[in-house]
Each structure stands twice: as C-alpha cells, then as structure tokens.
Amino acid sequence: MHLSAPPREDRQIVRMVVMDRSVTSRTVAQHIGPVTHHSVSARTIRRHLEQSGLSARRALFGLPLMQNHKHLRHQWCDERKMWVAEWNEVDFTDESRICLQHHDGRIRVWRHRGDNMLNSCVVHHRTGPALGIMLWGGIGYHSCPPLARIAGTLNSQRYISEVLEPVVVPYFQGLVKAIFQQENERPHVARIVQRLFVNHQIELLPWPARSPDLSPKENMWSMVIHRMHQIKPPASTSDQLR
C-alpha cells in the first residue's frame, strides 16, 4: 500500500481513527485484515497513519462547557486583554490529587498536528476517589509558595488550617503586591474563607467557572506528576513520598 496514491484500504484506516480517535492500532489491524485479505500488523497500521500525518499523542482533559460558561470565560478574558505587568502580580493556585498506582493522563488519541483542541481529541472526565496524595501549590512570576499536603478530603476548615493560615498568609505578607487566584470550588468560596481573605487584605482574582485551562499552574502539576513517575521503585503509599 503506497500513500502517494492512497488505495481504499488506506482511506479506511484513516477513516476509522478519525471516527474514533482513541481506537488502538491493534484494533484497526484486526478490522482491516479481512478487507485486505492478509494479516496486517499494528506496527504497519501505525506507520501508515504517521505517513498520513496522524500520530498517537496524549489526549487533553477538559470539562464540558455550557453556553453560559463560554460567555463568562470570554468576558473574563476581554476584561483583561490589556493586562501586561499585572500578570506578574498574580499567584495561580490549585489542589491536585495525584494517583500513586496509575495515571489516566496517558490516554492517547490519533490526531494531526494542531488538532489537540478538537472535541474528538479531548477526553472529558470527572475526578473520583483514588489512592493518592492531595497537594496544594501555586506558581507566580517572581516566586511561588511552598507545596502543602492536604490530609483527607478538602473542606473549608481544612483549606484554612492546612493551606491558607500556615502557607498563604505568611507568603503574601512577604510580598509588596500580589493577587491571589483560586478556582470556584466550594471550600474556596465558603464565607469563612472569604472572610479570611478580607481580614488579611489579600486581593482575589475573579475566576470563571470550569476554567482550569486558563491557568498556567496546570503545567506545574504536569512536572510534579512527571517527577513522581520517575521514582524507582514507584511509591505505593503517600508516606513514601515524604
């Protein structure tokens, strides 16, 4: 099969992975074999797809957005489109539960270069309970606060006692001017939490719902996870990460 003049089999291979981006090359080989009337290996399938410009890349993870979410995101970006130096004052923060036994971020999809934002190339997911460690962290232009380990499920009281009072307040007291960013999860927007920010005169950056992709901190978690997966032997309990 020569892709310079694509035969019917090549078009069927490409059509299969475009219709189902997460299909494996082995599955494609099993389906295309009866069509070609000879055995086709998964390696051959991958080679033909790569010659067509398709390669297996890690899928993005995204949250489904309603129309109102899209409107608020656009409005938020439009209000800050002239920001330049202001971004240097923002500390982006978030929590992340890092699984110790597996990492579902390794799901791969077939796509062309530049297709990473297509809905068919994005894996939508909800977080769920898993064996792992909950971390809070932040990233800023000039410096960043230390990582904080959260014991158990995050709630407003634990957010205050394990993150805000021991880490955030002392850190922000050492800065001349800073803006605190957090997402709109319930522990973040509780009244006692908002009262703490007011009492300590910590300025908050308004944040649109379901917008983790607007924050550069996601790159930080990717680096942390990458470091964790380099630990040999792999950690099986959170205490082994101390």
Side-chain angles (χ1 to χ4, degrees), residues 5-239:
R8 178 170 60 94
E9 291 83 358
D10 288 327
R11 292 195 296 270
Q12 288 181 336
I13 292 173
V14 174
R15 188 179 302 113
M16 283 186 64
V17 300
V18 170
M19 292 181 64
D20 182 3
R21 298 284 185 153
S22 61
V23 67
T24 65
S25 55
R26 186 180 300 275
T27 300
V28 176
Q30 292 173 349
H31 282 79
I32 207 67
V35 177
T36 60
H37 302 294
H38 65 272
S39 177
V40 180
S41 68
R43 183 176 181 179
T44 299
I45 295 297
R46 290 194 296 270
R47 186 177 70 252
H48 279 273
L49 290 172
E50 289 171 357
Q51 291 174 349
S52 297
L54 286 162
S55 57
R57 303 175 188 270
R58 187 172 299 179
L60 292 178
F61 281 83
L63 294 172
L65 298 176
M66 305 300 290
Q67 190 61 36
N68 186 53
H69 295 138
K70 298 178 182 179
H71 170 72
L72 293 176
R73 283 163 57 95
H74 184 275
Q75 180 181 347
W76 184 91
C77 293
D78 189 61
E79 291 173 350
R80 292 159 183 84
K81 62 183 178 182
M82 302 303 294
W83 277 26
V84 180
E86 290 86 347
W87 292 117
N88 297 346
E89 302 171 355
V90 179
D91 276 85
F92 296 91
T93 72
D94 192 22
E95 304 83 27
S96 179
R97 175 172 291 278
I98 301 176
C99 296
L100 298 179
Q101 296 179 330
H102 69 278
H103 176 41
D104 55 6
R106 295 184 180 274
I107 295 177
R108 293 181 177 271
V109 294
W110 294 100
R111 63 179 175 86
H112 292 98
R113 183 179 297 275
D115 284 351
N116 57 307
M117 294 302 294
L118 289 179
N119 190 59
S120 57
C121 296
V122 176
V123 178
H124 299 287
H125 75 116
R126 300 293 196 280
T127 57
L131 178 62
I133 181 173
M134 174 73 78
L135 296 176
W136 175 95
I139 185 171
Y141 183 80
H142 297 290
S143 62
C144 61
L147 285 173
R149 179 178 174 181
I150 300 172
T153 303
L154 183 68
N155 53 40
S156 57
Q157 291 289 352
R158 186 164 283 155
Y159 188 43
I160 291 175
S161 62
E162 299 183 16
V163 175
L164 297 181
E165 290 183 340
V167 178
V168 174
V169 172
Y171 173 74
F172 269 72
Q173 287 176 343
L175 301 176
V176 176
K177 182 173 177 57
I179 303 173
F180 186 82
Q181 180 274 337
Q182 62 177 2
E183 296 186 5
N184 299 314
E185 299 176 8
R186 288 187 178 182
H188 298 169
V189 299
R191 291 184 180 180
I192 56 174
V193 172
Q194 297 299 309
R195 191 179 306 121
L196 182 143
F197 288 127
V198 173
N199 293 339
H200 291 278
Q201 299 180 335
I202 296 178
E203 181 181 354
L204 295 178
L205 178 69
W207 198 252
R210 297 193 177 187
S211 300
D213 56 309
L214 295 181
S215 172
K217 69 181 179 301
E218 298 302 318
N219 297 324
M220 178 191 70
W221 292 129
S222 296
M223 290 186 287
V224 171
I225 293 173
H226 178 70
R227 293 282 185 89
M228 289 184 60
H229 282 279
Q230 289 181 326
I231 298 175
K232 302 297 181 182
S236 58
T237 66
S238 59
D239 290 336

